[in-house]
DNA sequence: TTGTACGCGTTATCAA
DNA sequence: TTGATAACGCGTACAA
């Protein structure tokens, strides 16, 4: 049904080989026939089949991307970074959602293998280390963004969670806070642990012994709801400031404050993590640790391109920045 | 380099045909050889090539999706809806960003054609009507979500902008407002026009002559910034309530209010459009017209599946809902 | 129960 | 300057 070079060949009265050459402006073909063939091709609305080309060339110019959820504002921008760099390099992006589920992530990678993508990028992988053992079977390079699993793995781009968390807590310490809480994320084991380390590092360096009561652990699944549910715990532990696992959690916490008529930052300072757009819109605008999200995607894709060119690459650990807004304030001593 | 059925055939000492059959549990092959071949295949880590299968079967089990920007929270959820339904039906999603740019959208569709996707879904198309004329050349069905161009086109799923806008303005009228502004979007011609129609309908039905001074037109490109920049105009025109083209614009307006020490909703009622997550997080939580975003994506993909089965389909116009929050209040008469 | 031969659309090699 | 042929990995009609 689709127009092929054979159809064109029949009409032009030449062999399909000649058509193939004429369409790529091969100098071996006479200018006359080249023009004639190209005219016929455009009249017929011919489009070359990338499928056939891939079968022959053994590459699909496709990179497979596995994400937990596209609707997550953090993920969305990482994907955007990947897509931009990919498009500029003539690669396309095949997207699969894993719902942060182990089996689905594995199934996704298998699907991508079947489709013979040239490379795979996985954001927030749950099974990172699996890839090194499976890598003999996966010929495509696998690049991990913010891998969520301990253990060995090959190529990765990640944000420095320890440094970021430390930045957040140091900021609160400088404002005079001593009772600083941390709201954990139960479903992001590795980055949660590393942010906790950064939190504790900062406290210890300031000569403060971390108090377990200030570390709030909740099994509530969604980020915002977890933040909302954690306010009571924070207050009960006597926190005057709270560092949250991420922005959505912090936003939930701010919403709970508003409901309880608690004024942030006067009565409670709040710091988030990620730097999503929504931090600009909430009241008060949220002080947060900004991850270079777009850059994360770009670098992952650039690394992928290098790997496809058989170049050496180095794993990346990107630093975060403190973005100062209005949800943190100097602690007021209760007299 | 990759393992093929021929490799397996050589090791098993059978023809590649037998391997092909054994791997799909063809009953014609003896249970013994079937088991043996399957064991060898799994030992070698064999994965069938979807590329070769596609070339033969003339279908790729892929749908191409063109979006303006993945980082847009509205778009992200539409994509999520598409992806969910596609995945359940064994289809994959190939994603391309057009940056809301005409040439890029056309280039994207061409790329998808080259890749022989089975169908194409375009969100917020700028060139919708083009597809009907090009459709003889594109064999794949094209489904449009919230098409942004006037004119004829085939398959579409869209939200009822007129009805939604009317809902918003009727709500403000019920609260006693008479001077109601509308902030336009310069870069979404069609939906902007239709929301304007809904706005005017509601006013006329209430016996109010629309005042051009209340229709704020700004060339600022980004939504939030446009909202921020429009407050002055609204106030100058004597508006006591404003209906905004979308939520991000409304959020910008709320931010400007806060900066000017203007209290919403007491001094200015604000209504948005879309129902993105952020409307829940701002202060005050935004009253808005909720689009069934996930549903929009799901329906588009369901329609696509029907088209692929050669079934008849009907275009969809989905109604919006008013989501009541705290950014709107009864008008206070100035005595 | 298994094998042979062909075709899907394209490109590369070799020959004319 | 052009054409015949083989190959990429797989599935299927037909033959054995």
């Amino acid at each position: 049904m689709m127009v092929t070079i054979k159809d064109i060949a029949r009409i032009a009265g030449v062999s399909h080989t000649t058509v193939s050459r004429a369409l790529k402006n091969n100098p071996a073909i006479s200018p006359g026939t080249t023009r004639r063939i190209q005219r016929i091709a455009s009249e017929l609305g011919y489009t070359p089949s990338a499928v056939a080309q891939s079968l022959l060339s053994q590459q699909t110019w496709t990179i497979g991307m596995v994400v937990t959820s596209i609707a997550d504002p953090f993920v969305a921008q990482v994907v955007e970074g990947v897509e931009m760099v990919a498009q500029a390099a003539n690669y396309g992006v095949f997207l699969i959602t894993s719902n942060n589920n182990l089996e689905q992530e594995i199934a996704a990678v298998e699907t991508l293998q079947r489709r013979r993508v040239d490379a795979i990028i996985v954001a927030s992988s749950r099974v990172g280390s699996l890839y090194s053992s499976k890598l003999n079977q996966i010929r495509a390079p696998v690049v991990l963004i913010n891998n969520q699993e301990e253990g060995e793995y090959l190529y990765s781009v990640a944000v420095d969670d320890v440094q970021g968390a430390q930045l957040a807590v140091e900021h609160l310490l400088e404002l005079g806070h001593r009772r600083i809480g941390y709201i954990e994320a139960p479903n992001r084991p590795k980055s949660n642990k590393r942010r906790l380390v950064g939190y504790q590092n900062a406290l210890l360096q300031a000569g403060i012994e971390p108090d377990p009561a200030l570390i709030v652990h909740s099994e509530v699944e969604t980020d915002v709801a977890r933040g909302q549910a954690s306010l009571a715990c924070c207050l009960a532990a006597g926190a005057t400031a709270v560092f949250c696992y991420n922005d959505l959690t912090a936003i939930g916490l701010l919403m709970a404050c508003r409901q309880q008529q608690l004024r942030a930052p006067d009565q409670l300072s709040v710091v988030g993590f990620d730097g999503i757009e929504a931090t600009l819109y909430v009241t008060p605008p949220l002080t947060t640790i900004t991850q270079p999200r777009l850059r994360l995607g770009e670098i992952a894709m650039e690394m992928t391109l290098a790997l496809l060119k058989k170049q050496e690459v180095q794993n990346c650990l990107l630093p975060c920045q403190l973005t100062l807004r209005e949800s943190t304030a100097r602690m007021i001593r209760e007299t």
Side-chain angles (χ1 to χ4, degrees), chain A:
Chain A
M1 200 60 88
M2 281 248 81
V3 182
T4 75
I5 49 172
K6 285 185 187 170
D7 298 321
I8 300 175
R10 203 176 325 112
I11 294 175
V14 295
S15 76
H16 73 275
T17 314
T18 305
V19 175
S20 172
R21 287 200 263 246
L23 291 177
K24 354 195 71 168
N25 289 311
N26 187 321
I29 305 295
S30 79
T33 47
T34 296
R35 265 201 307 279
R36 191 163 52 91
I37 288 173
Q38 288 183 348
R39 222 199 42 238
I40 297 177
S42 86
E43 273 169 10
L44 263 51
Y46 168 77
T47 315
S49 162
V51 176
Q53 290 172 332
S54 292
L55 182 59
L56 195 58
S57 67
Q58 299 283 60
Q59 56 173 321
T60 54
W61 291 95
T62 303
I63 74 109
M65 173 129 205
V66 183
V67 300
T68 52
S69 154
I70 321 156
D72 182 318
F74 180 85
V75 173
Q77 206 162 6
V78 173
V79 174
E80 194 179 39
V82 169
E83 216 266 348
M84 279 172 51
V85 176
Q87 208 174 29
N90 277 314
Y91 279 85
V93 176
F94 190 94
L95 191 71
I96 305 193
T97 293
S98 75
N99 298 312
N100 203 22
N101 168 342
L102 222 114
E103 290 96 44
Q104 285 193 54
E105 182 182 334
I106 296 173
V109 173
E110 282 175 359
T111 300
L112 294 174
Q113 259 194 284
R114 267 198 316 104
R115 290 183 177 266
R116 297 294 190 266
V117 297
D118 295 333
I120 297 176
I121 298 180
V122 187
S124 306
S125 170
R126 303 289 300 255
V127 292
S129 67
L130 190 102
Y131 297 120
S132 5
S133 59
K134 254 200 167 179
L135 216 72
N136 20 7
Q137 293 183 18
I138 313 184
R139 57 185 271 101
V142 178
V143 173
L144 267 32
I145 299 180
N146 282 356
N147 178 31
Q148 280 308 311
E149 207 230 13
E150 304 286 354
E152 294 300 313
Y153 44 89
L154 277 180
Y155 306 114
S156 72
V157 184
V159 117
D160 193 337
D161 288 303
V162 177
Q163 172 260 353
Q166 212 157 335
L167 226 48
V169 177
E170 281 165 3
H171 166 62
L172 293 171
L173 288 166
E174 272 169 27
L175 290 173
H177 294 278
R178 287 296 170 269
R179 301 287 299 168
I180 300 173
Y182 173 61
I183 301 180
E184 296 198 278
N187 51 353
R188 309 281 170 84
K190 185 171 174 189
S191 54
N192 179 63
K193 195 189 279 182
R194 304 198 74 220
R195 289 177 198 178
L196 187 57
V197 167
Y199 161 87
Q200 291 166 329
N201 281 357
L203 291 179
L204 290 170
Q205 279 175 23
I208 300 175
E209 185 64 28
D211 177 355
L214 284 166
I215 297 171
V216 181
H217 183 89
S218 150
E219 286 299 334
V220 177
E221 268 294 320
T222 68
D223 293 323
V224 177
R226 186 163 359 99
Q228 288 179 295
S230 300
L231 177 60
C233 275
C234 293
L235 297 179
T240 64
V242 180
F243 166 51
C244 301
Y245 171 78
N246 66 8
D247 286 335
L248 288 174
T249 309
I251 288 171
L253 192 66
L254 285 181
M255 288 167 71
C257 286
R258 184 158 172 276
Q259 275 181 343
Q260 310 274 324
Q261 316 278 7
L262 204 72
R263 286 203 323 281
D266 306 337
Q267 296 171 275
L268 190 71
S269 283
V270 178
V271 182
F273 201 114
D274 278 357
I276 63 176
E277 297 297 322
T279 55
L280 278 163
Y281 312 146
V282 293
T283 309
L286 189 66
T287 294
T288 189
I289 303 299
T290 301
Q291 294 198 43
R293 296 175 288 154
L294 196 71
R295 200 75 201 101
L296 217 49
E298 289 174 343
I299 289 183
M301 189 61 216
E302 283 162 8
M303 189 185 252
T304 303
L305 289 174
L307 286 169
L308 288 171
K309 291 183 203 149
K310 307 289 179 198
Q311 293 170 356
E312 291 288 321
V313 300
Q314 269 210 313
N315 288 348
C316 258
L317 197 64
L318 299 176
C320 303
Q321 282 188 328
L322 174 67
T323 301
L324 218 55
R325 299 244 181 71
E326 298 165 37
S327 67
T328 49
R330 180 152 293 282
M331 184 190 160
I332 301 163
R333 308 227 163 255
E334 324 236 341
T335 44

